[in-house]
Amino acid sequence: MDYFEYKDGRLFCEDADITDIAGAVGTPFYLYSKRTLLRHCDIIHRALGEVEHLTCYSVKANSNLAVLALLAAQGIGADVVSGGELFRALKAGFAPEKIVYSGVGKTEAEIEYGLGQNILTFNVESIPELELINDIAGTMGKLAPVALRVNPDIDPKTHPYIATGLRENKFGIPHAQALEGFRLAAGMRNLRVIGVDAHIGSQITELDPFVESAKKLCELVETLKDDGISIEQIDIGGGLGIRYADEIPPEPSEWAGAIVPVLKGMGCRIIFEPGRSLVGNAGILVTKVLYIKRSGDKVFVVVDAGMNDLIRPALYGSQHEIRPVIRIDSEETVVDIVGPVCESADFFAKDRTIPLPGPGDLLAIMGAGAYGFTMSSNYNSRPRCPEVLVEGSTFKVVRERENYEDLIRGEHILVD
Ligand SMILES: *Cc1c(COP(=O)(O)O)cnc(C)c1O
């Protein structure tokens, strides 16, 4: 459920008329709904109510400071994958003791940063990383809290680029080596082994892979207990899918209903790392039609947003629902909706049947709240677009549109 709805044929975000917002901030822009964000947060929290848990929002899905601050104020934690994300999370008010740090390539400086801030856990992805964290913690006179991320070799049945828990993926320690990894970690002086962790992929729309992963983690915790290593925290990652087009993902309550019974009796605190399911349907990308271009049989709707603003269709072939911001009554036409970037992958929809818009009309690309702005770039020297947050009938620009000067900041022309 979200709060993007038509009123008298005009698309609203909560009680704000999107056409008015476009008039004020120009196009393209990202638009987020506060009410939707809070609702999703609440739904997930209530779904998991039965177990002692900590929700650690995956910052990479949408890392706008205003969005992060809203989520932090709900008392949840954060899952970060870089020093930059840790910086953002702290700035936005997440408590360090609710921050977990994941990722296969943490640098020395990033580990020092996390240790210095006393974060909850490092989710460690390899033996060499364990050794490095142990060394740095020793130098800093700290005891580093670690969980080992295992790769459970489970097919999440999602796009190959967002599957992370298969043997051939770079993530985690192979399940077969997990015990050895934990023994090593337990023997390191400057580490405190507190958890097991897995994250098998993203946009997962079936329950089985989650259940399987949870079971494997529980089995591992039992094995470790027999080995004298006691685990207090099980992190089962994120990955719950959302509806973009015709997918039917499990409701958060169904998802929780499937995994909570597996995890409940373990006597461990459970960590969840949802990203997309919290923010995906809380945001849209609003763009303006520039031209209707006919070539041969094809009709191209050329819009002012491009793959640099939202790369998901180009990268994953993902389907986003696209709605007119003001309903139109024109002829249903098969079109490609494309951006201005000089790449054939620069499209938002192919062979989509929509009422044919005209130049100047606004389109809303739905489900753009996750992996939208955070994956945007300046490709083709396009300033990145603004992010706007709606609360009720009011809106605020929470990240300004970049200008041409922003594009060249930090660059130097060599003169001899
Ligand atoms: C990306 C990521 C998540 C969030 O995934 P979603 O599919 O957005 O829920 C959680 N944990 C880790 C380690 C990740 O890399």
Side-chain angles (χ1 to χ4, degrees), residues 75-336:
I76 67 172
D79 166 43
V80 302
V81 294
S82 71
E85 284 192 355
L86 177 54
F87 175 75
R88 280 181 179 277
L90 293 168
K91 278 266 177 222
F94 283 100
E97 67 273 15
K98 292 182 180 172
I99 298 178
V100 299
Y101 192 151
S102 309
V104 292
K106 302 177 191 79
T107 66
E108 216 172 298
E110 288 174 322
I111 292 165
E112 274 172 20
Y113 185 25
L115 277 173
Q117 296 294 326
N118 297 316
I119 62 168
L120 176 62
T121 318
F122 288 91
N123 287 332
V124 178
E125 306 223 7
S126 66
I127 307 293
E129 185 191 333
L130 271 181
E131 287 163 352
L132 182 60
I133 295 178
N134 183 53
D135 287 350
I136 297 173
T139 310
M140 293 174 74
K142 297 244 180 198
L143 199 55
V146 298
L148 259 66
R149 176 169 175 179
V150 297
N151 183 327
D153 194 22
I154 290 170
D155 185 357
K157 303 188 186 100
T158 184
H159 190 280
Y161 290 2
I162 48 176
T164 54
L166 283 164
R167 201 171 12 210
E168 66 260 34
N169 300 134
K170 69 180 174 184
F171 299 98
I173 294 169
H175 199 253
Q177 287 168 30
L179 185 57
E180 181 200 335
F182 274 96
R183 282 181 182 152
L184 268 171
M188 291 186 192
R189 298 181 51 154
N190 310 307
L191 301 184
R192 191 162 73 86
V193 181
I194 61 169
V196 298
D197 167 46
H199 169 72
I200 56 172
S202 197
Q203 185 53 17
I204 301 169
T205 54
E206 294 179 26
L207 288 173
D208 283 354
F210 288 113
V211 174
E212 227 186 298
S213 174
K215 281 187 179 156
K216 283 205 171 176
L217 287 181
C218 291
E219 280 165 24
L220 180 59
V221 170
E222 295 293 355
T223 309
L224 290 170
K225 198 194 278 175
D226 295 340
D227 211 58
I229 299 171
S230 87
I231 294 296
E232 53 195 82
Q233 176 174 301
I234 302 176
D235 182 336
I236 69 145
L240 182 60
I242 63 169
R243 187 180 175 109
Y244 285 105
D246 45 15
E247 307 91 335
I248 306 181
E251 294 290 327
S253 57
E254 296 173 87
W255 167 77
I259 55 170
V260 165
V262 179
L263 299 162
K264 208 162 69 175
M266 298 300 296
C268 289
R269 170 157 67 160
I270 312 300
I271 306 239
F272 301 92
E273 301 171 346
R276 189 188 310 271
S277 53
L278 276 176
V279 295
N281 284 330
I284 65 173
L285 175 62
V286 180
T287 182
K288 187 173 75 182
V289 176
L290 297 175
Y291 304 102
I292 303 299
K293 170 173 170 173
R294 295 172 192 273
S295 1
D297 291 344
K298 294 217 66 121
V299 180
F300 294 102
V301 175
V302 184
V303 298
D304 66 358
M307 65 187 283
N308 70 296
D309 300 303
L310 177 67
I311 203 172
R312 299 190 67 261
L315 191 59
Y316 311 125
S318 52
Q319 301 282 327
H320 285 260
E321 186 194 347
I322 297 177
R323 300 186 192 165
V325 170
I326 295 179
R327 275 205 174 117
I328 38 175
D329 216 2
S330 57
E331 193 182 344
E332 293 275 331
T333 311
V334 180
V335 303
D336 282 9

